Amino acid sequence: MADETVKQEQKHITLIVKNQVGEEVQFKVKLNTVFEKVFKAYSDKKGVQNTKFLFDGHRIKATDTPADLDMEDGDTIDAMLEQLGGSQRLSQ
Amino acid sequence: MLMMPMSALFITHSRSMQHAAPWSLRQAQKHSQEQHPQPSSLGSGQATSWAAVQARLGGLARPAVVGRRSRGSATTTLLRKDFGLLLLPTEWLNDELVNYYLLLLQLRSDAILQLQARLRAALQQLGARPSSLPHQLRVLLRVPRSYSFSSFFYTQLAPGQGRFCYQAVQRWTRPQATHTSECVLAYQLLLFPINLGNTHWAVAAVWPQAGLLQYFDPLPGRREGRRVLASLARWLLQDAADKGVALPCRRARQLRLEHAPQGMPVQCDGHSCGVFAAAVCERLAAGWHAPFEFSQDDCPSLRLGMAADMLAGAVGW
């Protein structure tokens, strides 16, 4: 039982973080890695701040792990930017 | 667990009935009581002025966190930095505010759904008809089973330049993702906050059982509505086939698309479309239909009502 737990924790999966223009960044993570590390690595690599990460439409919390969200190898995370709205498009 | 939301619903309901809050929409109501038998206050009655909102904010245990609500395994947190936009009368609303408000609407719908089930069971047991119920309970029975989507849904489905990416949202309607016992496509009403060009908020309402798709935009005469409805119609049929949900209308030409429903209030300022969008969602989720009773003049009070609801963690009924 203990051995299985250890194996489970050491298992790596590849996650794809995809932004709104379709650019992808792959991360190889352990199932028990907290997403805070992935978020930081993504933000550093892309040079963007305040990205919101979604999995199947739900926000991923910094304290979540891939195991918490039942993620599997090859799953895609959506990296979204803030949306604002107040008025009409200026170009129209 | 089962009792909690229902009792909470009754408490807020009776509270809003007792206090005709100064920002209550009853004052601005332009249509008869018959058309709108249940004026919604869009506020829980827990804070009725900006001073009260500020006082409540000052009393928060964690100043950076204004609210936190869970649904299923998903927890959503509303941060002070986002809530702050609502406090400034001319600031634009962002996705955090719109999505948190829609989560509160979803929680209210979930509670009403449970209440409806108990009411129907009680009626059956008594061999009574819904018409024998008091007016306030009869109104509850008319509330549609609804699901509110994230504002990012449409952004992912239609990422601009005429593109349509069904795969990007294919998994969003699995029951595991929506935290529902069945696929939400079998529901009566699906609500979609629509962000256009990162400058504007509108709302799309999809009624899968009625085969009706509506687009509510406080700025009339925009062309985007047709594109939004066409994308959602295509998504609805494709997703119903994918999820194995049998809809009454299975062909695109059977669906009715209402591009600009009559009675959508018009925005006259340069910052309130998010408030209009939230108010439309609140009314549709409560079982109201256009024409809506609010106008541009009500935006300050609607905005205050939203702030009060978010602080209270529940939308008043």
Side-chain angles (χ1 to χ4, degrees):
Chain A
M1 188 70 181
D3 281 351
E4 274 179 33
T5 311
V6 171
K7 270 185 203 158
Q8 187 79 354
E9 284 175 357
Q10 288 172 342
K11 193 182 161 193
H12 283 77
I13 58 169
T14 301
L15 297 175
I16 300 153
V17 180
K18 193 174 179 180
N19 70 7
Q20 284 170 258
V21 292
E23 295 167 346
E24 295 182 356
V25 181
Q26 293 197 358
F27 291 96
K28 206 169 180 185
V29 296
K30 289 183 208 165
L31 282 172
N32 64 347
T33 302
V34 288
F35 271 103
E36 190 172 13
K37 291 183 185 175
V38 178
F39 297 168
K40 189 176 181 315
Y42 179 84
S43 296
D44 290 347
K45 190 175 171 70
K46 302 293 284 186
V48 289
Q49 297 292 318
N50 297 328
T51 306
K52 297 143 200 265
F53 298 92
L54 307 185
F55 181 57
D56 292 351
H58 287 283
R59 279 288 280 281
I60 304 173
K61 294 194 292 290
T63 51
D64 285 335
T65 67
D68 291 338
L69 304 175
D70 289 328
M71 285 182 170
E72 293 171 1
D73 194 45
D75 274 345
T76 301
I77 292 167
D78 301 313
M80 311 298 289
L81 296 173
E82 180 176 52
Q83 295 173 323
L84 275 171
S87 187
Q88 58 193 323
R89 195 175 295 184
L90 293 171
S91 61
Q92 284 200 336
Chain B
M1 193 65 191
L2 191 77
M3 287 304 295
M4 271 306 287
M6 275 180 269
S7 54
L9 195 68
F10 269 127
I11 291 165
T12 42
H13 176 63
S14 60
R15 187 183 287 128
S16 67
M17 292 299 283
Q18 281 163 15
H19 302 286
W23 39 266
S24 164
L25 286 171
R26 264 168 258 182
Q27 295 168 348
Q29 205 171 358
K30 293 187 178 69
H31 299 279
S32 71
Q33 288 287 313
E34 277 306 301
Q35 264 181 296
H36 297 293
Q38 182 75 53
S40 169
S41 61
L42 218 174
S44 59
Q46 299 204 1
T48 54
S49 66
W50 285 113
V53 166
Q54 291 289 0
R56 246 186 107 101
L57 269 180
L60 290 174
R62 290 178 60 195
V65 177
V66 171
R68 179 171 284 150
R69 291 302 311 261
S70 296
R71 187 169 180 279
S73 57
T75 301
T76 307
T77 304
L78 179 66
L79 298 178
R80 172 68 181 260
K81 68 179 172 71
D82 299 305
F83 187 72
L85 298 174
L86 208 51
L87 302 179
L88 302 166
T90 59
E91 278 296 326
W92 290 13
L93 303 198
N94 69 3
D95 54 288
E96 302 283 343
L97 291 166
V98 170
N99 288 327
Y100 193 77
Y101 187 73
L102 263 81
L103 168 66
L104 298 184
L105 287 182
Q106 185 63 50
L107 292 169
R108 184 179 74 174
S109 290
D110 293 344
I112 291 176
L113 204 67
Q114 290 189 2
L115 193 59
Q116 287 176 337
R118 290 174 72 102
L119 272 174
R120 291 204 175 96
L123 283 172
Q124 200 172 15
Q125 216 167 18
L126 296 167
R129 287 159 175 251
S131 56
S132 64
L133 285 171
H135 176 73
Q136 289 166 3
L137 294 181
R138 254 193 347 260
V139 169
L140 271 185
L141 281 180
R142 291 207 293 264
V143 173
R145 188 176 203 186
S146 67
Y147 183 76
S148 303
F149 281 82
S150 153
S151 62
F152 291 110
F153 180 94
Y154 184 72
T155 305
Q156 289 289 77
L157 178 70
Q161 288 154 3
R163 284 185 295 155
F164 178 85
C165 301
Y166 173 70
Q167 277 80 15
V169 293
Q170 186 173 11
R171 290 159 57 111
W172 290 35
T173 45
R174 295 181 309 150
Q176 302 99 297
T178 52
H179 304 113
T180 50
S181 55
E182 59 178 315
C183 182
V184 294
L185 265 68
Y187 280 24
Q188 283 165 285
L189 169 63
L190 308 176
L191 289 170
F192 299 87
I194 307 287
N195 185 268
L196 296 172
N198 210 17
T199 53
H200 188 57
W201 289 108
V203 174
V206 173
W207 306 81
Q209 304 309 312
L212 173 66
L213 291 87
Q214 297 174 302
Y215 176 74
F216 297 94
D217 194 325
L219 291 173
R222 294 166 59 92
R223 282 165 296 167
E224 284 95 334
R226 296 188 197 283
R227 204 178 306 139
V228 169
L229 291 181
S231 300
L232 286 174
R234 188 173 163 191
W235 162 80
L236 177 67
L237 297 179
Q238 194 168 348
D239 206 38
D242 184 67
K243 304 295 182 300
V245 176
L247 296 180
C249 304
R250 294 181 193 193
R251 289 166 187 223
R253 60 185 164 84
Q254 293 175 307
L255 297 172
R256 280 184 300 139
L257 309 186
E258 274 187 21
H259 168 240
Q262 285 288 312
M264 175 63 200
V266 175
Q267 178 188 357
C268 308
D269 65 13
H271 49 82
S272 289
C273 59
V275 175
F276 276 86
V280 166
C281 289
E282 194 276 336
R283 278 143 185 78
L284 291 172
W288 291 18
H289 298 281
F292 300 113
E293 84 301 352
F294 61 93
S295 70
Q296 173 72 55
D297 292 343
D298 300 309
C299 280
S301 63
L302 290 168
R303 200 173 176 113
L304 173 60
M306 277 182 81
D309 284 343
M310 287 184 181
L311 266 173
V315 179
W317 170 255

